[in-house]
Structures are given as structure tokens and as C-alpha cells.
Amino acid sequence: MTTPPNDGSQLPTLTRKERRAILEERRRRRNRRRRARLRRLQVMKSLRSIQFWLRVLGFAVIGLCIVFWARFAFVYDIPSFAAVGLPPHVQAYVAVKPWWFGPPVFDIGNYDGIDNWQWVANPYQYLIYHMGRYASILSHPHFVWIRAS
């Protein structure tokens, strides 16, 4: 580096080789920063993408739960006297409800707290009477899934 005496009014002069080395170092630094910034952006994009798909999956699961609750009923623990009109050996089934947003689960064996059905003259009619507006889920089910023994 050849510099004239510096009295504060002049900048040092650089040779072509020195200037090229300084510019090359600046370019390398700038490229390193640019690559680091691109890596950070790619990581953020992938995180946003994962978050997006997790949200979509979560909303889909919640939506399916609401649809099941709104339109389907799970009926289980069906006593032998209540299996009138059902396929043989049915233990549980999922059926389409004729109403919207009613109870999604029916435990027929313990429905309405009746423990001893033998004291009732016609237990099926008594059960249908106590089920009220939900009786059609047992008397006229529209099956979606059946579990038989």
C-alpha cells in the first residue's frame, strides 16, 4: 500500500490488488449474510407451513366431532329384549339420527336408570316410552356401522 503522507485532508490511495481484496471480502460477507437470511426465511416458511397444516388438521377433527355429535348416534349395551328388528347378535351400532344435535351416545342397558327389567310387563314398550323422541334410534335405525358378536 503506497500512501502519501496523510495530513488529514486526503484519503489513502489503494493499489488495484488491495482494492480488489477489500471488495472481495465485502462481497463474501454480504453473501454470507444473504445466505443466513435465506436459511432463516426457509425455516420460518416451513414452520408456518407446519402450523398451517396442524391448524387445518385440528379444525377438521373438531368439525368431524361436531358432525358426529349433530347427526350420528352410538348405541351400545343393547339387552336381548331391545334387539327387536335388529340384525342378530348386535352389540353396538352407529346410526343416523332423524334429528339434529341430540345426545350422541345411548347406553340402552342403563337407559333411564331402570336396573331390573323383569318387573316390567313389556320391557321393550316401556323402554321405547321412556326414550321419548329418541325412540326411533332403537325402533327404526339407519345403520352406518354395526358391531356383532
Side-chain angles (χ1 to χ4, degrees), residues 6 15 28 30 37 42 52 76 80 82 101 110 116-117 129 134 143:
N6 193 358
T15 65
R28 267 191 251 125
R30 189 172 52 237
R37 186 173 60 243
Q42 286 174 342
F52 171 76
Y76 69 100
S80 59
F101 294 104
N110 289 329
N116 199 350
W117 292 96
Y129 173 75
Y134 306 125
F143 297 113

Side-chain angles (χ1 to χ4, degrees), residues 45-65:
K45 253 172 116 174
S46 67
L47 285 177
R48 271 190 255 139
S49 177
I50 290 170
Q51 288 174 348
F52 171 76
W53 288 110
L54 285 175
R55 285 183 191 133
V56 166
L57 181 66
F59 283 125
V61 167
I62 290 170
L64 288 174
C65 289

Side-chain angles (χ1 to χ4, degrees), residues 76-77 79 106-115 117 127:
Y76 69 100
D77 195 16
F106 292 90
D107 180 3
I108 303 299
N110 289 329
Y111 198 82
D112 212 25
I114 301 170
D115 294 329
W117 292 96
L127 175 65

